[in-house]
Amino acid sequence: MTDLPQRPTAHAAGVPASDVPASQVPASDVLVSARGLEVHFPVRAGGALRRATGVLRAVDGVDLDIRRGETLGLVGESGCGKSTLGNALLRLVEPTGGTVTFDGTDVTGLDRRALRALRRRAGMVFQDPFASLDPRRTVRQTVSEPLEVHGLRSGRRERAERVAELLELVGLDPAVADRYPHEFSGGQRQRVGIARALAGEPDFLVCDEAIASLDVSVQAQVLNLLRRLQRQLGLTLLFISHDLSAVRYVSDRIAVMYLGRVVEVGPASAVGSDPQMPYTQALLSAVPVPHPSLERTRQRIVLRGDVPSPAAVPSGCRFRTRCPYAFEPCPDVDPALQPVGAPGQLAACHLHGVVGRPVERAEEAVPAAE
Amino acid sequence: MSAPLLEVEDLRVRLRTPRGPAEVVNGLSYTVGRGETVAVVGESGSGKSVSVLALLGLLPARVATVTGSARLDGEDLLTMSPERLREVRGPGVGMVFQDPMTSLNPVLTIGRQLVEGIRAHGEVSKAAAREQAAGLLAEVGLPDPQRALDRYPHELSGGMRQRVVIAIALSNNPALLIADEATTALDVTVQAQILDLVAELQSEHGTGVIWITHDLGVVAGIADRVLVMYGGRCVEDGTVDDVLERPAHPYTRGLLGALPDLAQVGDGELATVPGVPPAPTDLPPGCVFWPRCPVRSDPRCETEQPPLAVVGTSGGTLPHRAATWCEEGSPR
Amino acid sequence: MTGAPLPEPAASPTATEEGVPSTARPPQPRWRQTLVLLARNPTAAVAGTVLLLIVLTAVFDEAIAPTGPNEIAVEDRLQPPSLAHPFGTDDLGRDILSRVILGAAVSLRVGFLAVTFALVVGALIGLLAGYYGRWVDDVLMRFMDILFAFPAVLLAIAVLAVRGPGAGNTALAIGIVYVPVFARVTRASVLGVREDVYVRASRSVGASDWRLLTRHVLPNAAPPIIVQTSISLAFAVLAEAALSFLGLGTQPPNPSWGLMLAEGRGFIDLAWWLAFFPGMAIFLTVLCFNLLGDGLRDVLDPRQRTLMAGSGR
Ligand SMILES: Nc1ncnc2c1ncn2[C@@H]1O[C@H](COP(=O)(O)OP(=O)(O)OP(=O)(O)O)[C@@H](O)[C@H]1O
Ligand SMILES: Nc1ncnc2c1ncn2[C@@H]1O[C@H](COP(=O)(O)OP(=O)(O)O)[C@@H](O)[C@H]1O
Ligand code: SF4
Ligand code: SF4
Ligand SMILES: [Mg+2]
Ligand SMILES: [Mg+2]
């Protein structure tokens, strides 16, 4: 792990946001791209009136490019907005600000019909394979739903052939098509979920904690499957997980989220071994490795305190309440992603030069609670 | 070494299920010394939770038959009267369950529950107990502990709740701490905080720890000894270095091979253990791992249960044992 | 779409990787499976058979009944059960067996019509309210609350007062009373199912609201509605009795079970059979509906299905 650069002594005023590099990769390579993406939920008081008393910034100004054919790993602590971001990219939750572009079209303005067409090109694999399959529908019915919805295969026979093809693709015996989900193990169900997501021949797949609820040995089976499919089908994958080792294993690039914002992104090897943002460093240093000799000597960066509530995001750099390096500009300037470290690596931290949008100074450090 | 803190011998648990009797734990023997950490690893359903619930008499008597012995400081937990067991559970054994919501009372504040625990087993004034409780919450890394004392369980996030449960288990400085997947649901950063805290407690009070997990990274960091469970049996045990660096049982090797390693970017396939664990109602007659074993070749594999046999001793006093007929104990 | 057709699966599909359970089940149409499984559930099978008999009786009433239901034979009045009159005769000497058989047609028709109406309207309202929430929910459910706040009998009387007596109108009156019940049960069940992950998963592949509602939400929300249906059928038969008793339902001399029960009440210590047999008919029908409803709920649940298919035979 490299040392961080010296703190800039005199703190320069933040530069205007327009100077911030807008794109992370050449535009033609990009399949999905978010700019200033926001998903804010109203926080409601209890009681009969349920007045909105505040706003919860689940996703708060995310800039992210996902390249065609790559696997982008998305990591971050629980509640930092990974799932919400993944859902917002597919408009399964409505963004409250910013834009999402899919293959050149702005999807934030799409009407219902266009949106459903988009859903054919972008699939989702869910965390809990026990909850994500309708218990009253057979595997065949589940997997052929996208085919029916989008009129992809007319006629029973063609659909049956396609279902068999898809089941084989994910490593299931097509003979099991007429069984119900409860007759399968977790790993098998997750395969069914993947087959469903692939039925519409999507270009883009969001895997939200797709291996989290599986056994270790079965996790490896599903990880291998995802990698194989990605290569075989040229899929673009957003792999959301809190398991950094798994993310490191499958990803070409890794994006790190903290409190609703992508704070570092770059090639997996660079982010994984030479992180430039203090939060990423702390996160990676906390991952235990299954080698006793390495594990005993592992240097851990201890973070104090909890993740602040997304309903009370600290001003300036949102990591400053826990950052061991926080210094003068951190509460005043909201850091923007800037190129640092390896080619293609971006991090949002003033230690690499104060870049970002100046903010009004907030009252005082927001207590980490809720 | 003096007499061990806990000595489990030939623990067997059979459960009545709608699908017939399930041999969930089949002859488990191990010891936990003072200040020692024994990690129990294995996939879900391998009998990890049941084996420790049985120790504390927490399995429903209607469905569970427990045999064997488990001596804590020489006293057998399995034959103890329920009253004595209740006395032992608080100060003697602290337990952190897999699901934090089930071990917290939803209608009492966090503070009440902690203070009650502290006062039940010692002469402490209410105010002092409250002080102590707040200190514990701070130690498990709960932000704003004073305010947290007045909150109800549902007002905390899952991770915060789990930390409260851990604080309660630690509140009496138990001689033995049993943690069942205590940090599995937590973020790595929080997990690290809690592991540090437990280590501190151990060095201060000589607490013995049984740490159940399927995270081999955690095991590598905290365990002195490892017990690998599969199909209700111990298939391998030994020091953490022996088991993780020189695994002898094909299952342990498969498990380690299946882990993506943070130290390297993935190229090529992860090794997998094909298939799924057996149902406890339907265990194979021979080696429990036989249906999934990539190296089964011995004719006895299918028909005869391999005993736990010593495969090596790496200098220390503790043997490295594995239950397999296959010979080559080659390092991975 | 860059959609090249999917390449061939890997040379050796990993199909065997996870020991797929090997109890192959021949694909069968779902309704036949359901029937077969229902038949294997002893209680449901008996209940179903009895109900079928009752329905057949109702359909072929005139053909089966030993005598006309309204044939008065004053000389035979208040005969206890005998070979000639198995259920006895009433105060006008009419054969009770014949009247029970003909009453079946009236009672069941009113019951079925009423519940069908309540089910269709109520479930639709509950489905929309539960699924769309917000103002749709507020408007629909407030309306249901108002309807529910009226005393049931008063409401039914009001409907009958406006539309006049008769089987169809009786059914309508009872049906309206039950609409809010079905709306509430459906809404509660839909609220539970609406947020299930598989509904979101289905939306993520582009399924329309209509598809989500009919293929995923409704089937999974159905069990409490099925139970409610069987309970309501029972109550509808009783409600028809109550309305007839008040003189608003079936008009004498035509028989309905409810009306017969009401008329027999006056003779209860003199001639018990007047009230007993129509009472038994109501009881048996209600019981069978409930048992069949329970069985149906179990059989429609695929999780229970396998268990039953495995253990049955
Ligand atoms: N529909 C909603 N209404 C209100 N708040 C929400 C909603 N969905 C998510 N949130 C909040 O937004 C934040 C981000 O949630 P999200 O599910 O994206 O987290 P995550 O990073 O996926 O976490 P995890 O790793 O635990 O899955 C959380 O604070 C969550 O409570
Ligand atoms: N109360 C119970 N009744 C019946 N079976 C049970 C019960 N509790 C656990 N089991 C079964 O016992 C086996 C071992 O369970 P458990 O010890 O919880 O596994 P682990 O903790 O290793 O994941 C599993 O197959 C589980 O389904
Ligand atoms: S910008 Fe944020 S991460 Fe960087 S030093 Fe300041 S507080 Fe720490
Ligand atoms: S006994 Fe045989 S089947 Fe079992 S683990 Fe050893 S080699 Fe494999
Ligand atoms: Mg999530
Ligand atoms: Mg467990």
Side-chain angles (χ1 to χ4, degrees), chain A residues 84-124:
Chain A
T84 309
L85 173 59
N87 280 291
L89 291 179
L90 304 188
R91 265 191 69 189
L92 287 168
V93 303
E94 287 298 329
T96 49
T99 57
V100 175
T101 320
F102 187 91
D103 205 4
T105 19
D106 180 357
V107 301
T108 28
L110 291 183
D111 63 11
R112 267 167 184 276
R113 276 191 47 197
L115 194 58
R116 283 178 47 204
L118 165 79
R119 302 256 159 91
R120 182 166 79 92
R121 302 191 48 192
M124 182 133 181

Side-chain angles (χ1 to χ4, degrees), chain B residues 183-196:
Chain B
T183 57
T184 302
L186 302 180
D187 286 311
V188 281
T189 46
V190 181
Q191 167 174 287
Q193 246 172 334
I194 288 177
L195 295 181
D196 282 353

Side-chain angles (χ1 to χ4, degrees), chain C:
Chain C
M1 167 86 207
T2 53
L6 290 170
E8 286 298 305
S12 64
T14 38
T16 52
E17 211 172 69
E18 285 187 34
V20 173
S22 59
T23 51
R25 193 193 312 115
Q28 248 183 4
R30 193 174 153 126
W31 63 268
R32 261 184 62 190
Q33 266 181 48
T34 307
L35 272 187
V36 168
L37 285 169
L38 257 186
R40 282 203 202 147
N41 175 338
T43 350
V46 172
T49 316
V50 174
L51 263 188
L52 192 67
L53 288 178
I54 296 176
V55 169
L56 286 177
T57 312
V59 171
F60 298 106
D61 50 358
E62 310 235 348
I64 300 173
T67 64
N70 297 332
E71 272 175 36
I72 299 173
V74 192
E75 65 284 5
D76 283 341
R77 58 199 296 267
L78 293 179
Q79 294 290 309
S82 64
L83 275 180
H85 301 285
F87 287 4
T89 60
D90 68 5
D91 54 328
L92 297 176
R94 296 176 295 196
D95 181 44
I96 303 236
L97 175 59
S98 304
R99 284 180 68 78
V100 166
I101 289 173
L102 276 112
V106 180
S107 288
L108 288 184
R109 193 180 323 133
V110 171
F112 277 126
L113 282 176
V115 172
T116 307
F117 178 82
L119 175 69
V120 170
V121 178
L124 189 67
I125 290 176
L127 197 60
L128 296 177
Y131 184 77
Y132 287 103
R134 301 176 190 228
W135 67 267
V136 181
D137 188 20
D138 287 343
V139 170
L140 289 176
M141 290 324 281
R142 278 312 78 73
F143 180 58
M144 288 298 104
D145 287 346
I146 293 168
L147 208 54
F148 197 72
F150 277 106
V153 176
L154 218 59
L155 187 58
I157 290 175
V159 172
L160 287 174
V162 173
R163 306 199 36 119
N169 288 341
T170 311
L172 182 67
I174 298 171
I176 288 176
V177 169
Y178 279 103
V179 164
V181 176
F182 277 93
R184 283 183 176 187
V185 168
T186 308
R187 173 177 174 273
S189 187
V190 166
L191 279 180
V193 170
R194 184 182 68 173
E195 301 296 334
D196 281 354
V197 184
Y198 54 79
V199 176
R200 204 145 47 85
S202 190
R203 179 174 295 133
S204 80
V205 299
S208 58
D209 278 352
W210 176 248
R211 191 185 173 92
L212 289 176
L213 276 171
T214 53
R215 306 283 172 96
H216 298 283
V217 175
L218 197 53
N220 282 289
I225 305 174
I226 293 176
V227 174
Q228 185 58 47
T229 305
S230 65
I231 295 175
S232 297
L233 271 169
F235 276 106
V237 170
L238 293 176
E240 191 274 340
L243 288 178
S244 301
F245 183 61
L246 291 176
L248 292 164
T250 313
Q251 298 299 304
N254 290 325
S256 89
W257 290 343
L259 193 60
M260 291 173 69
L261 187 69
E263 289 170 350
R265 234 179 43 125
F267 297 88
I268 200 76
D269 39 327
L270 196 66
W272 54 268
W273 55 92
L274 257 59
F276 177 79
F277 289 105
M280 278 309 287
I282 293 176
F283 172 72
L284 195 66
T285 311
V286 166
L287 184 70
C288 288
F289 275 133
N290 280 338
L291 293 178
L292 190 67
D294 284 356
L296 204 59
R297 183 196 48 193
D298 289 349
V299 158
L300 288 178
D301 184 344
R303 280 154 296 195
Q304 309 248 3
R305 259 183 193 212
T306 333
L307 284 182
M308 291 189 290
S311 65
R313 205 172 311 270

Side-chain angles (χ1 to χ4, degrees), chain B residues 249-319:
Chain B
H249 195 280
Y251 174 66
T252 319
R253 280 191 226 152
L255 212 53
L256 282 160
L259 286 181
D261 197 330
L262 190 60
Q264 64 231 40
V265 176
D267 266 330
E269 298 254 297
L270 284 173
T272 62
V273 186
V276 287
T281 43
D282 193 17
L283 293 178
C287 170
V288 268
F289 190 52
W290 180 78
R292 300 172 78 189
C293 182
V295 300
R296 59 184 185 209
S297 52
D298 197 291
R300 288 169 296 179
C301 292
E302 197 181 345
T303 52
E304 209 180 319
Q305 282 184 27
L308 260 184
V310 176
V311 294
T313 309
S314 60
T317 48
L318 198 83

Side-chain angles (χ1 to χ4, degrees), chain A residues 233-278:
Chain A
L233 311 177
L235 287 174
T236 304
L237 226 60
L238 178 65
F239 187 83
I240 301 177
S241 177
H242 65 264
D243 182 344
L244 285 139
S245 311
V247 166
R248 181 87 197 277
Y249 176 76
V250 296
S251 307
D252 300 307
R253 292 193 309 138
I254 296 179
V256 182
M257 247 182 123
Y258 185 78
L259 223 50
R261 181 77 63 85
V262 169
V263 293
E264 177 156 10
V265 59
S269 52
V271 175
S273 53
D274 190 14
Q276 298 293 323
M277 154 89 192

